[in-house]
Amino acid sequence: MRASDRAYLVLREEIIDWELPPGSVLGEVEQSARLGLSRTPLREALARLTADGLVRAQAGRGLVVSDISVENIRELFEVRQSLEAQAARLAAIRHEGDVFHQLGREFQAVPQLLERDDPARHAYYGLVERFDQAVDDAARNPYLVAALNGLRTHLVRVRRLAKDNPVRLSAAAGEHLLIVQAIDARDADLAAHATHVHLHNALQSALESTQHAPTT
């Protein structure tokens, strides 16, 4: 793997996990020394993160981690609601195999999972990512999946605002369980409706969490 790719992946994960919260300054000298690489691959990584919308230029400070505002969250969810409801509907119609049955069992076990998960909730969010991937695969619409993937880098940061709220995570797992069960039962209308309910609750939680998000 190229040095610039490694730097990109490390910084991206740190931004997503809020180890580098919004407003963090990404100085070339400091980040090069911290990551143990030269400034050229670091610049390439920062350019990719800027193209992703995770990093932006700020007058007088250089490059900083992008903010997540109430307006940003609302705009993301306006698009997300339409795309994810349609993806769930198509997955219910087109899925094959027992992947959603297996995911249902895992979502039922989330309360136990949260008890032993690490502070960044990697195991829980890994399960959510596998759910997203299963829906993408089952929907079998590359244009829809491409549109969703364009949102997910930002949505992961919004999701992880809730990492310190186990009550919300448990409730979200229950909402995911209903979606999974509807898809498994090939009930397209219920899958879409359950997705709308989940995203309504997720939006409200995200908006509340912005009031307590870490800042520099």
Side-chain angles (χ1 to χ4, degrees):
M1 183 184 293
R2 298 186 309 156
S4 61
D5 293 334
R6 290 197 300 271
Y8 170 78
L9 292 173
V10 169
L11 290 171
R12 182 181 183 276
E13 190 65 22
E14 290 176 343
I15 291 169
I16 287 172
D17 279 348
W18 290 79
E19 294 174 26
L20 289 172
S24 297
V25 177
L26 301 175
E28 286 188 10
V29 174
E30 295 80 7
Q31 295 301 322
S32 293
R34 183 175 73 88
L35 297 174
L37 45 75
S38 67
R39 293 170 71 174
T40 297
L42 177 67
R43 289 191 190 109
E44 293 176 8
L46 291 173
R48 289 176 64 186
L49 291 166
T50 301
D52 289 343
L54 295 175
V55 169
R56 64 182 179 85
Q58 186 177 82
R61 301 184 76 195
L63 294 178
V64 301
V65 177
S66 299
D67 297 331
I68 295 181
S69 68
V70 169
E71 182 179 2
N72 295 152
I73 292 172
R74 290 190 185 279
E75 290 170 347
L76 284 169
F77 271 79
E78 285 173 356
V79 180
R80 185 186 183 192
Q81 286 167 351
S82 296
L83 295 178
E84 290 198 3
Q86 180 63 11
R89 181 181 295 278
L90 292 175
I93 296 168
R94 298 174 177 175
H95 78 89
E96 298 175 353
D98 64 353
V99 62
F100 290 101
H101 181 74
Q102 295 299 326
L103 284 169
R105 296 177 64 178
E106 292 189 64
F107 277 113
Q108 287 177 324
V110 162
Q112 293 76 33
L113 175 65
L114 292 176
E115 290 178 2
R116 62 180 186 271
D117 204 357
D118 65 271
R121 307 296 187 190
H122 284 105
Y124 172 81
Y125 288 113
L127 173 58
V128 174
E129 287 172 10
R130 286 190 285 114
F131 162 79
D132 287 339
Q133 186 61 57
V135 172
D136 288 352
D137 292 344
R140 287 185 275 169
N141 184 319
Y143 300 104
L144 178 59
V145 171
L148 280 168
N149 285 336
L151 295 176
R152 282 182 178 143
T153 295
H154 303 283
L155 290 172
V156 169
R157 277 214 295 169
V158 174
R159 276 177 175 166
R160 294 193 182 188
L161 283 168
K163 69 181 181 182
D164 295 322
N165 185 352
V167 173
R168 173 56 202 156
L169 295 182
S170 292
E175 294 159 11
H176 277 109
L177 177 59
L178 181 57
I179 299 168
V180 165
Q181 290 174 332
I183 293 173
D184 191 40
R186 300 190 181 278
D187 189 331
D189 289 339
L190 179 57
H193 178 70
T195 299
H196 278 298
V197 171
H198 167 62
L199 294 182
H200 170 79
N201 292 337
L203 174 59
Q204 298 310 309
S205 176
L207 293 176
E208 291 171 6
S209 295
T210 57
Q211 302 173 17
H212 310 290
T215 58
T216 54

